[in-house]
Amino acid sequence: MNDKLKELAELMFPGIEKSVEDYEKMYPERKLEEGARVTRFAPSPTGFVHMGSLLSAFEDYKAAKDTNGVFYLRIEDTDSKRTVENGIVGILNDLKNFDIIPDEGMIDEEHSIGEYGPYIQSERKEIYHAFAKDLVLRGLAYPCFCSAEELDEIREIQELNKERIGYYGSFAKCRSLSVDEAIEKIKNGEEFTVRLKSPGDFNKKITLHDEARGDIEFPENDLDIVIIKSTDKLPTYHFAHLVDDHLMHTTHIMRGEEWIASFPIHDQLFEIFNFEKPKYVHLGVVMKIDEEGTRRKLSKRKDKEASVEFYHKEGIPKEAVKLYLMTIANSNFEEWFLENPDSDLSEFKFDFKKISASGTLFDVEKLLNISKNYFSKLTANEIYDNLLVWTKEFDEEFYNVLVNNKEYAISVFNIERGGVKPRKDYTSYRSIRNFVFYMFDDLFVSPDYGWNKITDKEEIKNILNTYVDKYMDFTDQEIWFNKIKEMCDELGYASNMKEYKKNPELFKGNVADVSGVLRIALTSLSNTPDLFLLMKLLGEVKVKERFLKCINN
Ligand code: GLU
């Protein structure tokens, strides 16, 4: 071995004893079934997950689980600006809320499980240095002493001469330093980054075979990219990707499309080390159509639905969110789910080819529709139990009502539940209160009666008094309705809609208007489930009280 290079490598990486081969022995091939995928979610420790990254974590998880593979969590903390206190626990909680539990990786701020760690990059420094040292020894990496000002100058010249921007060829000043010069500078205490000595030729082509997008051609990389930064001696994304995904035996790199352009760098790094290359899947940006009708990136700052906390706070069931994520992850899922409405998500096989490359449109309305369907399939008991958990955290008043009236509340949730046309109004646990508050006196405190057809206060009183005095009968639905019709006849309203339509002028109104008064007096709303069912469940005493309350309002 070249003694000079050895001296340089020792100076650049003092105390690094292990070699690449040593690490390969420490992290042997995983023993998995044929075809099992190893995927990872690799966020910075920012404390939370937003919708875009939840979608990719979900896809990573699903891709691994479909094949009995491994899904692990690696924390990429090489950029201290993106690190927050308890940032890992926050991420883990967000994932857990959607049942995305990594098989390996960090389990809190300091600990991890799995044989391929450390799973946090700041603790892998020695490993990266061993790999970088290997490159230096092979003459494939060198120290670069250029200051920020010098790099700016290079860029300015390139811009002026309309040349390709970057540190390459003759622009790569430090590439041509002799080993002796480099050694001397380091001995003089000069700061340096470590750069790849790219063996690439910009005029040659390489192909990225993206599992979702197909083949994309690029020029070979010829940039001498930084692999180890000067200040903290941590690796850049490119180099960490090589080292980590190689040693952790990731089979599928699923990552944001912003990384497509760097593929030639990554491909070259894998070539140089002669490592087996992983497969790549680049995921589109999650977008939304905003109020002005324009398509834009879903924004953490502007869009509440971009934070996964939002779903928890709103009480949108994780099952519904997961169904929605699958819907936007794979274009064939919606149809599959229509055909297999009672199947579990795990029965659907995620397909890279069915990922939309043009970006994913995030549509809250669609998600709420999925949620409605999901709620319509729950039993009243399930709703009760889940709502109890949600209200305990977010609505104490409703929580107390539920605790004190368990059986009754279940009966309320049971109204129009099940059967061929179950009710589909609940969109979230938060929304339920708006659909049932009137069934609980404690929540029906100062109702805002939404009178519409019949609005005259005296006439409303007259209808309610007459009903309570003579026509209230909950024996069965038919008797109940016949009584209302009888009352209509007495008060001058049409009990028969056909007759009313023929000669509306002969009547004060019709049976629907009168029922509307009863409904609004009882619930304050003009749109509710079946009025008879509501009245029957409330019972005569309560119905009378409600009508009195309304009369005295
Ligand atoms: N930490 C990188 C990011 O957040 C990970 C990209 C990758 O998955 O490789 O963009």
Side-chain angles (χ1 to χ4, degrees):
M1 191 178 293
N2 184 327
D3 283 346
K4 283 285 172 199
L5 278 179
K6 203 157 178 231
E7 190 185 345
L8 176 63
E10 292 301 333
L11 272 176
M12 289 170 75
F13 301 105
I16 293 299
E17 305 294 342
K18 288 200 185 73
S19 67
V20 170
E21 290 70 36
D22 292 334
Y23 284 110
E24 303 229 88
K25 281 198 199 104
M26 285 169 68
Y27 303 105
E29 282 288 330
R30 292 167 179 276
K31 291 189 186 62
L32 295 171
E33 295 170 19
E34 175 84 31
R37 299 181 187 130
V38 179
T39 62
R40 82 290 193 279
F41 179 47
S44 303
T46 52
F48 65 92
V49 170
H50 62 81
M51 244 318 144
S53 41
L54 183 70
L55 176 64
S56 77
F58 175 76
E59 291 174 332
D60 274 311
Y61 174 82
K62 183 78 180 115
K65 292 292 138 184
D66 277 357
T67 58
N68 288 328
V70 174
F71 165 69
Y72 68 89
L73 174 69
R74 182 171 74 222
I75 297 296
E76 307 215 322
D77 62 342
T78 56
D79 179 357
S80 55
K81 288 195 288 300
R82 305 195 63 202
T83 299
V84 302
E85 210 176 314
N86 291 323
I88 301 176
V89 168
I91 289 172
L92 281 163
N93 280 341
D94 282 350
L95 294 181
K96 197 165 113 236
N97 279 334
F98 295 94
D99 302 326
I100 302 175
I101 317 267
D103 302 308
E104 280 175 18
M106 299 306 287
I107 51 166
D108 60 33
E109 296 303 319
E110 280 154 26
H111 305 94
S112 66
I113 49 170
E115 303 291 313
Y116 290 83
Y119 293 90
I120 179 161
Q121 291 181 329
S122 54
E123 287 177 22
R124 301 175 61 77
K125 218 178 206 174
E126 267 186 40
I127 308 179
Y128 303 122
H129 287 191
F131 279 64
K133 186 174 175 187
D134 182 84
L135 287 181
V136 174
L137 287 169
R138 290 157 61 199
L140 282 165
Y142 61 89
C144 169
F145 305 92
C146 287
S147 63
E149 291 73 33
E150 281 170 294
L151 294 176
D152 282 348
E153 244 170 60
I154 295 175
R155 168 184 281 270
E156 275 164 30
I157 294 172
Q158 288 170 336
E159 277 172 359
L160 208 70
N161 298 336
K162 302 213 170 11
E163 305 243 26
R164 196 152 50 86
I165 307 290
Y167 203 83
Y168 62 93
S170 57
F171 295 108
K173 273 192 182 167
C174 295
R175 186 184 174 118
S176 52
L177 286 179
S178 70
V179 177
D180 283 329
E181 285 169 315
I183 289 174
E184 193 169 326
K185 280 175 177 288
I186 295 179
K187 282 190 173 157
N188 286 341
E190 281 190 46
E191 288 289 332
F192 63 91
T193 59
V194 184
R195 284 188 185 270
L196 172 73
K197 195 173 210 168
S198 171
D201 176 349
F202 192 72
N203 295 313
K204 287 198 186 141
K205 297 274 183 261
I206 54 152
T207 303
L208 159 62
H209 178 75
D210 185 293
E211 298 295 306
R213 296 164 192 246
D215 290 350
I216 309 174
E217 225 179 52
F218 293 91
E220 246 178 41
N221 175 60
D222 66 347
L223 301 178
D224 285 357
I225 51 126
V226 173
I227 56 174
I228 303 285
K229 298 182 277 177
S230 72
T231 41
D232 50 16
K233 299 288 173 207
L234 282 169
T236 53
Y237 169 81
H238 310 304
F239 201 58
H241 159 47
L242 165 90
V243 175
D244 295 348
D245 286 314
H246 172 66
L247 292 180
M248 296 178 185
H249 300 278
T250 316
T251 62
H252 290 74
I253 310 292
M254 300 174 71
R255 62 184 180 187
E257 65 182 9
E258 66 273 20
W259 295 112
I260 291 182
S262 318
F263 170 75
I265 296 172
H266 306 153
D267 189 63
Q268 188 168 66
L269 287 170
F270 278 85
E271 285 278 337
I272 288 174
F273 279 96
N274 203 15
F275 291 159
E276 191 183 338
K277 294 176 191 172
K279 294 195 160 71
Y280 289 90
V281 185
H282 289 94
L283 305 169
V285 179
V286 177
M287 303 198 278
K288 76 174 271 177
I289 298 193
D290 66 14
E291 290 73 38
E292 284 88 50
T294 41
R295 235 171 129 103
R296 64 163 170 78
K297 200 171 163 198
L298 193 66
S299 143
K300 269 177 284 179
R301 255 183 321 106
K302 291 190 217 149
D303 307 312
K304 56 182 182 335
E305 71 269 30
S307 104
V308 302
E309 262 274 277
F310 166 76
Y311 302 88
H312 183 55
K313 282 191 186 146
E314 283 304 297
I316 298 173
K318 64 178 179 194
E319 292 82 358
V321 177
K322 286 196 291 180
L323 286 173
Y324 183 63
L325 290 180
M326 204 64 246
T327 307
I328 54 177
N330 260 183
S331 55
N332 55 332
F333 175 71
E334 206 168 351
E335 203 180 313
W336 179 88
F337 194 57
L338 273 175
E339 283 160 17
N340 305 278
D342 299 316
S343 300
D344 190 81
L345 257 185
S346 60
E347 291 166 45
F348 177 79
K349 294 285 173 242
F350 180 56
D351 182 352
F352 297 129
K353 302 247 163 352
K354 297 283 195 282
I355 294 176
S356 148
S358 59
T360 310
L361 202 58
F362 195 82
D363 178 355
V364 181
E365 285 309 312
K366 189 155 179 180
L367 165 56
L368 293 181
N369 253 325
I370 289 177
S371 191
K372 268 186 197 169
N373 272 321
Y374 173 77
F375 272 109
S376 76
K377 291 182 194 166
L378 294 184
T379 64
N381 278 296
E382 285 167 332
I383 295 208
Y384 179 86
D385 291 342
N386 299 343
L387 186 59
L388 207 59
V389 175
W390 186 84
T391 51
K392 187 164 190 199
E393 191 173 354
F394 296 105
D395 185 348
E396 198 185 337
E397 187 180 34
F398 196 10
Y399 173 76
N400 290 330
V401 167
L402 292 171
V403 169
N404 297 330
N405 303 279
K406 179 168 178 179
E407 291 313 314
Y408 174 75
I410 290 172
S411 308
V412 170
F413 302 140
N414 223 359
I415 291 175
E416 292 185 357
R417 187 149 294 280
V420 274
K421 252 191 118 223
R423 68 189 288 180
K424 284 193 181 171
D425 45 3
Y426 303 171
T427 53
S428 64
Y429 287 105
R430 183 186 294 286
S431 77
I432 294 178
R433 181 167 171 158
N434 289 336
F435 294 111
V436 300
F437 69 98
Y438 51 77
M439 296 305 283
F440 302 94
D441 285 343
D442 287 344
L443 305 180
F444 194 77
V445 186
S446 42
D448 182 11
Y449 296 102
W451 305 114
N452 48 32
K453 291 281 167 40
I454 301 173
T455 52
D456 180 72
K457 289 284 147 65
E458 287 311 309
E459 182 60 9
I460 289 168
K461 277 185 196 169
N462 185 26
I463 291 172
L464 297 178
N465 278 326
T466 313
Y467 184 69
V468 169
D469 283 352
K470 290 198 270 177
Y471 294 104
M472 194 156 75
D473 188 336
F474 302 156
T475 316
D476 72 28
Q477 187 136 19
E478 205 179 324
I479 295 174
W480 168 81
F481 194 45
N482 284 337
K483 290 277 178 191
I484 293 178
K485 287 203 270 192
E486 271 176 47
M487 175 169 76
C488 286
D489 293 336
E490 180 189 325
L491 297 178
Y493 291 87
S495 57
N496 179 313
M497 288 307 272
K498 268 199 197 126
E499 277 174 28
Y500 176 73
K501 279 191 183 133
K502 257 189 263 158
N503 300 304
E505 67 288 350
L506 297 183
F507 304 96
K508 286 202 272 183
N510 61 50
V511 62
D513 303 338
V514 172
S515 306
V517 167
L518 300 180
R519 187 189 305 275
I520 295 168
L522 193 78
T523 67
S524 75
L525 307 176
S526 48
N527 206 343
T528 71
D530 187 279
L531 182 58
F532 168 71
L533 297 178
L534 302 184
M535 285 192 172
K536 194 169 160 71
L537 184 56
L538 276 165
E540 279 195 19
V541 177
K542 281 257 146 58
V543 172
K544 265 190 209 163
E545 270 173 27
R546 280 289 165 87
F547 288 169
L548 274 179
K549 178 177 171 122
C550 177
I551 287 167
N552 297 326
N553 189 262

